[in-house]
């Protein structure tokens, strides 16, 4: 089996993207410009409406999957542990993930009651994306989906906080972190959402202090985790975890490791599409850390990757970031 530089675990959600006029969006009772969770029946209805209006574009998505795609485009070997059904969307997800250079290590699940997770995205002429997400089978990922052999020779593991909403997801995280550490690697997580942290605060704090080597979160997520202001939250976090990363929506990102604290200014650009900013910040950061860069350099790579992805539509980079890093003297 190939030795992977970075392995990720997260929701395997395929984006089903189609253009639509504003009047049609209203007729479907879709709220413009937001992401909302929908049930299976609603998702099937919206898929049918997309099909009636023309061909939709299928793009494998999900937060960690987007991060892995970014890391892969920077040149590291990546693998994704996720769960899809053996249906048309699941087969497309696995096939297209592999085509982008990330190994999709779990075969699509046959004969299940749940279909592949999907986000049905309508794009209006002004570029706004209205997302309707049905979680489906990906939310059932568990420890049986984690194969220790995948971690042989691997150095970095990246987990998606959203999957912490189910006990099986928590067990999968612990199994993967254990396999990663046994292989001599580093395990980390993106906290993903302050409301998710609220729901599982005690378990998240235990994970951060006892299991993980690095944690990425924004101001709201760190404040939710420790139920205090950001300065105090980061002080506690630095005692709990080896490497702490905090993004701050336009203010410099803060990176802390032991007694070392660095602040990395953001690249201010007018966003065309903010989707994927956090995912690609993580991609640049993890690429830097996995490549042996110091903390500040890795942070600068994260900031540059985030700036690139918000400069165009889509959650994955379009420009050669290695060339950008080289021009900036980072590599």
């Amino acid at each position: 089996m190939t030795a992977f530089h970075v392995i990720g675990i997260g929701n395997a959600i395929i984006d089903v993207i189609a253009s639509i006029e504003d009047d049609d969006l209203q007729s479907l009772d879709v709220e413009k410009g937001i992401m909302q969770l929908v049930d299976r029946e609603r998702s099937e209805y919206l898929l049918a409406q997309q099909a009636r209006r023309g061909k939709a574009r299928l793009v494998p998505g999900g937060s960690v999957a987007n991060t892995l795609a970014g890391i892969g485009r920077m040149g590291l070997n990546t693998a994704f542990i996720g769960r899809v059904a053996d249906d048309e969307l699941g087969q497309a997800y696995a096939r297209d993930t592999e085509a982008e250079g990330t190994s999709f290590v779990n075969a699509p699940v046959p004969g299940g009651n749940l279909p592949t997770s999907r986000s049905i995205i309508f794009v209006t002429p002004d570029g706004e994306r209205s997302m309707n997400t049905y979680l489906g089978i990906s939310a059932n990922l568990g420890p049986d989906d984690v194969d220790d052999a995948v971690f042989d020779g691997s150095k970095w593991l990246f987990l998606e906080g959203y999957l912490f909403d189910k006990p099986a997801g928590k067990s999968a995280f612990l199994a993967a972190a254990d396999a990663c550490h046994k292989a001599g690697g580093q395990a980390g997580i993106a906290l993903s959402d302050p409301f998710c942290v609220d729901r599982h605060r005690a378990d998240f704090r235990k994970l951060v202090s006892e299991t993980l080597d690095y944690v990425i979160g924004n101001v709201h997520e760190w404040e939710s985790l420790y139920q205090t202001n950001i300065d105090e939250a980061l002080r506690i976090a630095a005692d709990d975890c080896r490497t702490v990363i905090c993004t701050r929506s336009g203010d410099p990102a803060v990176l802390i490791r032991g007694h070392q604290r660095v602040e990395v200014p953001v690249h201010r650009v007018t966003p065309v599409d903010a989707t994927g900013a956090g995912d690609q910040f993580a991609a640049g950061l993890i690429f830097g850390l996995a490549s042996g860069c110091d903390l500040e350099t890795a942070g600068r790579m994260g900031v540059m990757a985030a700036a690139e992805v918000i400069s165009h539509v889509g959650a994955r980079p379009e420009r050669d970031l290695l060339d950008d890093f080289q021009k900036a003297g980072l590599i």
Side-chain angles (χ1 to χ4, degrees):
M1 182 177 287
T2 302
F4 301 110
H5 298 108
V6 183
I7 298 170
I9 298 181
N11 279 310
I13 302 175
I14 193 159
D15 294 339
V16 189
I17 307 169
S19 298
I20 194 171
E21 296 297 325
D22 282 280
D23 289 346
D24 289 335
L25 192 70
Q26 291 179 7
S27 72
L28 295 176
D29 197 27
V30 171
E31 190 168 349
K32 184 174 178 177
I34 69 164
M35 191 285 283
Q36 56 187 341
L37 294 177
V38 298
D39 60 21
R40 181 173 181 174
E41 182 179 2
R42 174 70 169 163
S43 77
E44 299 290 352
Y45 169 76
L46 293 176
L47 282 174
Q49 293 302 308
Q50 275 190 337
R52 188 171 69 81
R53 288 169 167 79
K55 189 173 178 61
R57 185 162 56 100
L58 303 180
V59 179
S63 178
V64 163
N66 289 334
T67 296
L68 292 172
I71 294 170
R73 292 181 188 184
M74 295 173 202
L76 299 185
N77 291 331
T78 57
F80 182 49
I81 297 172
R83 192 171 177 85
V84 299
D86 191 13
D87 53 22
E88 181 181 357
L89 293 180
Q91 292 164 7
Y93 192 101
R95 181 183 62 247
D96 292 349
T97 297
E98 292 274 352
E100 283 226 6
T102 292
S103 179
F104 192 75
V105 299
N106 299 80
V109 179
N113 295 323
L114 292 173
T116 295
S117 308
R118 73 286 302 261
S119 184
I120 303 145
I121 302 172
F122 296 98
V123 184
T124 43
D126 59 1
E128 284 278 7
R129 295 157 64 93
S130 306
M131 296 176 280
N132 306 267
T133 302
Y134 169 62
L135 291 178
I137 196 172
S138 72
N140 284 356
L141 184 138
D144 290 344
D145 296 302
V146 178
D147 179 0
D148 287 7
V150 173
F151 293 86
D152 289 347
S154 299
K155 296 302 180 188
W156 292 81
L157 170 67
F158 187 47
L159 307 168
E160 183 175 312
Y162 285 122
L163 273 176
F164 223 59
D165 263 329
K166 290 197 173 184
K170 296 177 185 179
S171 297
F173 281 8
L174 294 174
D178 183 58
C180 175
H181 286 144
K182 285 179 178 175
Q186 303 281 307
I189 196 171
L191 294 175
S192 295
D193 184 288
F195 302 108
C196 185
V197 174
D198 283 341
R199 291 191 293 272
H200 308 283
R201 183 173 293 106
D203 285 338
F204 265 121
R205 289 188 63 166
K206 182 178 174 67
L207 190 72
V208 169
S209 63
E210 296 182 5
T211 305
L212 299 178
D213 303 289
Y214 67 100
V215 181
I216 304 170
N218 63 30
V219 170
H220 304 298
E221 290 155 2
W222 284 115
E223 289 181 340
S224 173
L225 185 64
Y226 293 107
Q227 296 181 283
T228 186
N229 65 74
I230 187 58
D231 291 333
E232 180 64 9
L234 291 181
R235 187 194 65 77
I236 299 169
D239 288 337
D240 278 355
C241 184
R242 181 181 172 216
T243 304
V244 171
I245 303 101
C246 178
T247 58
R248 301 192 294 172
S249 294
D251 290 328
V254 177
L255 299 91
I256 305 170
R257 179 182 288 162
H259 296 295
Q260 181 188 13
R261 176 185 171 121
V262 297
E263 295 192 9
V264 180
V266 300
H267 291 238
R268 293 189 179 276
V269 298
T270 301
V272 174
D273 176 7
T275 307
D279 301 342
Q280 295 313 319
F281 172 84
L285 175 85
I286 295 169
F287 169 81
L289 295 176
S291 300
C293 297
D294 60 61
L295 201 58
E296 181 176 358
T297 300
R300 290 178 63 190
M301 289 175 171
V303 164
M304 291 180 69
E308 189 282 334
V309 81
I310 66 173
S311 69
H312 57 76
V313 175
R316 299 184 176 187
E318 292 182 350
R319 197 168 62 240
D320 182 355
L321 282 163
L322 286 183
D323 186 53
D324 289 357
F325 296 163
Q326 195 164 32
K327 288 176 179 175
L330 302 182
I331 57 174

